Amino acid sequence: MSSLTNRYGSPKRRLTKRTRATLIVVGLAALVLGALYLTFASTSGMDYKDNSFEVHSATSATATVDISKDASATIVCDVRALNESYAIVGWKTLVLGPTEGRGMTTTRVVVDLRTEALSTTAGIESCRLAKDS
């Protein structure tokens, strides 16, 4: 046996049951805390979704969107119209300021877009909190 120990080294020691249990508990706690952080950190106090759109002509389209935000917040939303190749053919930036009420409020906005070519769809590209002036 001593020749094997000299050649390959001494056998590795296994973790004790207590050390293994501690590592498992710490790992699970880290996973739970990470999941909680991702859940609550990603809620930015706003939500938006496309409701409908209508293409009137090669130079005009309308997007109807629902925007939910904290009543005291000001947000900026970019609305775009796309053609069949997914190229942007119309664009408008909306600024929605504070509204009456408390907590989350939802507003339906009808956005008229001028387009440079026939569009096949229209809707929200993105929304973000406005920077303080």
Side-chain angles (χ1 to χ4, degrees):
M1 179 81 167
S2 65
S3 66
L4 290 178
T5 301
N6 290 338
R7 181 180 279 181
Y8 299 111
S10 60
K12 293 183 180 181
R13 293 186 308 161
R14 294 185 179 253
L15 294 176
T16 65
K17 286 184 179 182
R18 184 175 183 176
T19 303
R20 195 173 334 145
T22 302
L23 289 174
I24 290 172
V25 168
V26 169
L28 288 174
L31 283 173
V32 168
L33 289 175
L36 288 173
Y37 173 76
L38 291 175
T39 299
F40 293 110
S42 65
T43 57
S44 59
M46 77 174 111
D47 189 26
Y48 53 89
K49 68 178 183 173
D50 297 329
N51 187 296
S52 63
F53 71 92
E54 186 175 349
V55 176
H56 304 288
S57 67
T59 60
S60 176
T62 302
T64 303
V65 297
D66 294 330
I67 302 171
S68 300
K69 66 176 191 65
D70 187 85
S72 63
T74 299
I75 64 170
V76 178
C77 294
D78 297 320
V79 181
R80 83 303 188 234
L82 303 176
N83 67 9
E84 63 185 11
S85 300
Y86 302 105
I88 296 173
V89 294
W91 187 273
K92 187 176 253 185
T93 300
L94 298 175
V95 178
L96 298 172
T99 57
E100 292 184 19
R102 298 181 127 193
M104 293 291 283
T105 59
T106 301
T107 306
R108 179 163 287 171
V109 182
V110 178
V111 183
D112 293 320
L113 297 162
R114 289 183 15 190
T115 59
E116 60 188 37
L118 184 64
S119 63
T120 56
T121 187
I124 290 185
E125 175 76 18
S126 65
C127 288
R128 61 199 170 279
L129 289 173
K131 295 180 181 176
D132 293 334
S133 301

